[in-house]
Amino acid sequence: MMIRIEQGKGWKDRYVMLSPNLLEVLRGYWKVVRPKDWLFPGRPPIRPITRECIHQVCVKAAAAAGLTRESRYVR
């Protein structure tokens, strides 16, 4: 129920707890993709995915979901 993050923020390795749902999703992803060096390979695949790439994916997902900065503060 843990995943190791190598060289995260501050270039430190960390262990992060996983929820049962996220673990199931990650296992399904791994069974389909079967990454060799990194769980989320970048370009080239011998390198991990970059923070910038993750940021871009999050921005696109938020736009597709219709989220705005203002909607983050609505409760």
Side-chain angles (χ1 to χ4, degrees):
M1 298 301 297
M2 303 279 281
I3 190 168
R4 181 174 170 209
I5 307 297
E6 290 187 4
Q7 306 251 331
K9 186 176 175 184
W11 292 275
K12 295 181 182 180
D13 295 345
R14 293 180 170 80
Y15 287 91
V16 179
M17 293 177 47
L18 297 176
S19 70
N21 291 342
L22 181 55
L23 181 59
E24 185 177 326
V25 169
L26 288 175
R27 281 184 175 155
Y29 163 78
W30 187 86
K31 286 179 183 178
V32 171
V33 177
R34 297 283 180 165
K36 293 184 178 165
D37 297 315
W38 303 96
L39 182 58
F40 301 109
R43 290 187 194 153
I46 60 169
R47 306 272 309 161
I49 193 169
T50 64
R51 282 180 250 162
E52 292 81 14
C53 184
I54 293 170
H55 177 76
Q56 288 175 353
V57 169
C58 291
V59 167
K60 288 179 183 179
L67 300 177
T68 64
R69 286 187 178 262
E70 293 76 30
S71 66
R72 288 189 293 176
Y73 303 107
V74 175
R75 296 190 189 243

